[in-house]
Amino acid sequence: MPLALRSHFGALAGGLEHALAIATFAHAVQPSGGTLTPVIDSQRPTSEFDRFSRLVTLLQDVVAHAGYTIDDLRREGFDEPVLSALTMAHRH
């Protein structure tokens, strides 16, 4: 079910807008039984940690409930620290 959006985002691949697009799509077509709750503040991130935590928040349900894998998100251009956090969250 993964949607390849990287080419549409160009230099913004792996960013918040890209994560929001994937989370929104995954929410719209989620398989039954899962609950996706993408939450993001509309204000610009105030720090790199804020950006990082928003990316993880948007993408963790995508991995847990929507059929995306860490490798799918890696191909989409998301950074390894984000992917590592998602891997750790998904194991618990």
Side-chain angles (χ1 to χ4, degrees), residues 56 59-60 63 70 73 81-91:
V56 172
L59 296 172
Q60 75 182 44
V63 172
I70 299 299
L73 296 176
V82 171
L83 301 175
S84 293
L86 291 169
T87 299
M88 296 299 282
H90 190 62
R91 287 184 183 161

Side-chain angles (χ1 to χ4, degrees), residues 3-92:
L3 175 68
L5 292 175
R6 183 179 183 146
S7 62
H8 298 288
F9 280 86
L12 297 176
L16 282 171
E17 295 86 359
H18 189 180
L20 183 58
I22 288 174
T24 300
F25 175 78
H27 181 72
V29 298
Q30 72 178 348
S32 61
T35 303
L36 294 172
T37 54
V39 176
I40 189 165
D41 188 337
S42 61
Q43 296 179 348
R44 290 191 168 272
T46 57
S47 66
E48 190 58 31
F49 179 76
D50 186 22
R51 178 186 172 280
F52 171 84
S53 62
R54 289 182 192 200
L55 283 168
V56 172
T57 298
L58 282 168
L59 296 172
Q60 75 182 44
D61 283 344
V62 170
V63 172
H65 300 294
Y68 278 78
T69 66
I70 299 299
D71 286 334
D72 293 331
L73 296 176
R74 181 175 287 112
R75 283 188 291 276
E76 286 291 315
F78 291 97
D79 295 333
E80 287 302 318
V82 171
L83 301 175
S84 293
L86 291 169
T87 299
M88 296 299 282
H90 190 62
R91 287 184 183 161
H92 298 303

